[in-house]
Amino acid sequence: MTGPASTPIHTPATEARYDAEILIIGSGAGGATTAALLAEAGFDVLVVEEGDWVEQGSVVSFSLEQMDRQYRSGGVTVALGLPSIAYTEGRCAGGGTEVNSGLYRRPPAELLERWRSQYHIRDLDPDEMYVIADEIESAINVTTVPGAVSAPSAVLRRGADALAWQNSESPRWMTYPPGGSASSGQRQSMTRTYLPRAQRAGARLLTQCRVRKLSISGTSASDADVVLADGSPGRIHFRHVFVCGGAIHTPALLQRSGLRERIGDTLAVHPTVKLAARFAEPINIPDDVPVHQVKEFAPEISFGGSASHPGLVALALADNWGEFSHALHEWERVCVYYAAITSEGKGRVKAIPGLRDPLVTYNLTARDKQLLRSGLSRLTLLMLAAGADEVYPSYHNAPVVRSSADIASLQRSFAATKATVMTVHLCSTVPIGEHPRCAAGSFGQVRGMRNVWVNDASMLPDAPGVNPQGSVMAFAIRNAQRFIETERPHG
Ligand SMILES: Cc1cc2nc3c(=O)[nH]c(=O)nc-3n(C[C@H](O)[C@H](O)[C@H](O)COP(=O)(O)OP(=O)(O)OC[C@H]3O[C@@H](n4cnc5c(N)ncnc54)[C@H](O)[C@@H]3O)c2cc1C
């Protein structure tokens, strides 16, 4: 199914104009679910998405073409700090759900309880959230791999079992053909699930359409200024707007529209450090990621596997290229793994007049930096326990680690400021709740605004400590349900 563009109601020479009862900005995990629920409830919904509709399988995973067509800025974006943190976002119909690893976790019960009490989120009921989670898991087919897990995944399980560390397979949103193997899955992203559902219920989708700003008067927004695929301007009139552009671009758009109070000041991420590990046998599967995660030290530290396309192996070796580059000749024997931490640091997103993209900054705390050191050391131990013959930690001038005796030298020489710190989990720039520090109410209504809502990763009160997409979708559906109850469609 392709994404049909919506036709303008009339097209004057200079500006296309559209009208919608509900405008949804962004078609990722938050926007697509919101669109499906509201369209199915009878609202007139228009979804606009800055990126293109790219049919799954039409581009090679991790290729330059994919980076160009489905990632923001070709996948090269950075939060400035000491160290800076490289981050990646999807920019296409379906947003991050089209390019991500598909690893699913429900929001843990203790997390929901903490968020409810700490941020005063009204009517946040774990039982209700788990009914929603059941629906999501069925809609996107959350399942474990058929048969044996892949060799890179088995590395994590083997190492953790040898150390008696808690580990488990994370299910994914995938379908597998009958008799299929671990690598034969098709990701049940938003372009295969909630977006077609929204379209079947009458929602219109306009791709390659970027919203520049909202027109706001008093407590109401009325129009969105947009740029269309051919660069021409357009205007969309709406009754309600749901901003679902992801944790960086939702606050940036709200700021460009004049809404600044508490917006964009509380960016939370899961920082990761990486290593490459070489094994005796070929284990690399270039177009897939491991499904095992090691949670012995969770939520502070979690371990998992990264994409290990040869280009990404080279990137993981680049911090000490002189010592490590020989491993690239044997990339089939090498895989990349990460240690992720829950960070106490905070970041900021700031829209800068005249610049298209916002300035993003992030400060790790001393405790965060210590956790990164400890995470990388333990991940190295895990690799050795799994049988790695050489481990290449990703920081400037890191040593090659061949035995547990070498880990002491890693611990001595590691500094977070020398490491390649990355993240793909960004959230919490417009946190919800009744607490005064929250930028939106308990159901996503932007503070002080009558008809502006956020319903994406921005709204999570802080970093969840688990893969976030399940939490984003569950909260987005909860908020959409509440909106439907309180704002029944006209007619
Ligand atoms: C490489 C990678 C791997 C990941 N792996 C996992 C995983 O295994 N499990 C997991 O749970 N999570 C994972 N994530 C995170 C997950 O994808 C995100 O948490 C989730 O997609 C966030 O949903 P969202 O709706 O907030 O934003 P997104 O899904 O990012 O969607 C936002 C959309 O809004 C559009 N947009 C932004 N601004 C505008 C504008 N002004 N006008 C029009 N459109 C706009 C963007 O183009 C984008 O398509 C991963 C992310 C990445 C990038």
Side-chain angles (χ1 to χ4, degrees):
M1 180 167 199
T2 56
S6 171
T7 35
I9 48 178
H10 66 99
T11 315
T14 51
E15 193 175 71
R17 294 185 75 85
Y18 302 83
D19 214 340
E21 189 178 21
I22 309 282
L23 173 64
I24 297 177
I25 301 169
S27 62
T33 44
T34 309
L37 263 81
L38 298 193
E40 285 168 357
F43 288 94
D44 164 44
V45 172
L46 172 61
V47 184
V48 295
E49 166 56 53
E50 186 175 347
D52 202 356
W53 183 289
V54 180
E55 208 57 47
Q56 264 191 43
S58 67
V59 291
V60 177
S61 296
F62 311 114
S63 63
L64 285 179
E65 186 189 1
Q66 187 186 40
M67 297 287 166
D68 187 43
R69 295 187 64 196
Q70 292 191 289
Y71 287 77
R72 184 171 294 280
S73 307
V76 186
T77 29
V78 72
L80 299 175
L82 282 174
S84 292
I85 301 181
Y87 66 87
T88 317
E89 295 172 289
R91 191 191 63 117
C92 54
T97 75
E98 305 299 316
V99 297
N100 69 22
S101 308
L103 301 169
Y104 175 84
R105 296 283 179 185
R106 287 181 164 204
E110 55 284 8
L111 176 77
L112 293 175
E113 178 48 32
R114 183 172 67 73
W115 281 351
R116 190 191 61 73
S117 60
Q118 207 168 315
Y119 297 90
H120 307 175
I121 301 180
R122 197 150 36 88
D123 300 345
L124 180 56
D125 174 2
D127 288 341
E128 191 189 320
M129 292 300 272
Y130 288 143
V131 171
I132 295 173
D134 287 341
E135 280 169 32
I136 293 170
E137 288 159 26
S138 155
I140 61 177
N141 204 48
V142 171
T143 182
T144 50
V145 299
V149 298
S150 66
S153 205
V155 161
L156 287 161
R157 184 179 56 199
R158 193 165 65 240
D161 285 348
L163 295 163
W165 288 357
Q166 198 193 327
N167 70 94
S168 62
E169 177 184 343
S170 167
R172 293 209 277 182
W173 41 89
M174 289 280 179
T175 52
Y176 296 92
S181 65
S183 59
S184 63
Q186 179 148 48
R187 190 191 288 109
Q188 296 305 293
S189 60
M190 294 304 110
T191 58
R192 302 191 68 84
T193 55
Y194 282 90
L195 285 175
R197 239 175 86 173
Q199 290 174 316
R200 278 197 299 275
R204 293 165 288 158
L205 171 67
L206 191 55
T207 54
Q208 295 184 278
C209 172
R210 174 173 186 264
V211 178
R212 268 199 306 221
K213 67 183 285 224
L214 306 174
S215 301
I216 292 177
S217 168
T219 59
S220 293
S222 55
D223 295 270
D225 282 348
V226 303
V227 185
L228 300 166
D230 61 2
S232 64
R235 199 163 177 82
I236 302 171
H237 183 68
F238 54 79
R239 222 159 61 80
H240 288 273
V241 61
F242 283 79
V243 187
C244 305
I248 302 299
H249 292 277
T250 285
L253 172 60
L254 294 175
Q255 290 174 2
R256 287 198 300 273
S257 310
L259 301 174
R260 292 191 171 265
E261 204 169 334
R262 284 163 289 183
I263 286 171
D265 294 342
T266 48
L267 172 67
V269 306
H270 294 148
T272 61
V273 276
K274 290 196 177 182
L275 55 72
R278 193 185 70 180
F279 293 84
E281 305 293 329
I283 60 161
N284 189 309
I285 299 177
D287 58 356
D288 202 13
V289 293
V291 290
H292 269 79
Q293 294 181 327
V294 179
K295 294 281 184 182
E296 179 71 14
F297 309 101
E300 282 78 19
I301 305 175
S302 310
F303 306 120
S306 299
S308 295
H309 187 275
L312 298 173
V313 171
L315 213 57
L317 300 171
D319 283 297
N320 196 359
W321 189 246
E323 298 280 319
F324 295 171
S325 58
H326 67 275
L328 192 57
H329 302 301
E330 304 167 292
W331 66 265
E332 292 96 336
R333 291 169 52 196
V334 178
C335 271
V336 183
Y337 294 90
Y338 69 81
I341 65 161
T342 43
S343 163
E344 284 179 352
K346 279 280 171 268
R348 270 184 180 215
V349 175
K350 209 165 169 35
I352 309 286
L355 290 188
R356 182 192 161 104
D357 289 322
L359 176 67
V360 183
T361 53
Y362 196 89
N363 289 315
L364 295 168
T365 63
R367 170 258 187 203
D368 293 345
K369 292 176 185 173
Q370 186 49 42
L371 274 186
L372 289 173
R373 178 200 303 270
S374 149
L376 193 61
S377 307
R378 287 171 166 161
L379 179 62
T380 304
L381 184 64
L382 182 70
M383 292 296 116
L384 294 174
D389 55 24
E390 288 195 342
V391 180
Y392 316 100
S394 290
Y395 64 91
H396 189 55
N397 283 337
V400 177
V401 177
R402 297 188 180 87
S403 72
S404 49
D406 296 337
I407 294 179
S409 117
L410 182 163
Q411 280 185 311
R412 266 196 313 277
S413 61
F414 177 86
T417 46
K418 296 199 286 182
T420 299
V421 184
M422 307 173 84
T423 190
V424 292
H425 298 164
L426 304 137
C427 53
S428 315
T429 44
V430 193
I432 59 169
E434 303 305 318
H435 192 281
R437 71 170 172 265
C438 297
S442 294
F443 295 92
Q445 189 171 19
V446 173
R447 215 46 95 222
M449 297 305 297
R450 191 187 55 76
N451 63 347
V452 182
W453 308 77
V454 291
N455 222 17
D456 61 5
S458 319
M459 72 176 145
L460 300 185
D462 54 36
V466 294
N467 300 77
Q469 188 182 313
S471 301
V472 174
M473 295 177 73
F475 272 88
I477 289 176
R478 165 187 181 266
N479 296 350
Q481 286 175 343
R482 178 59 67 109
F483 181 88
I484 292 164
E485 277 165 31
T486 52
E487 304 275 342
R488 284 265 151 220
H490 292 306

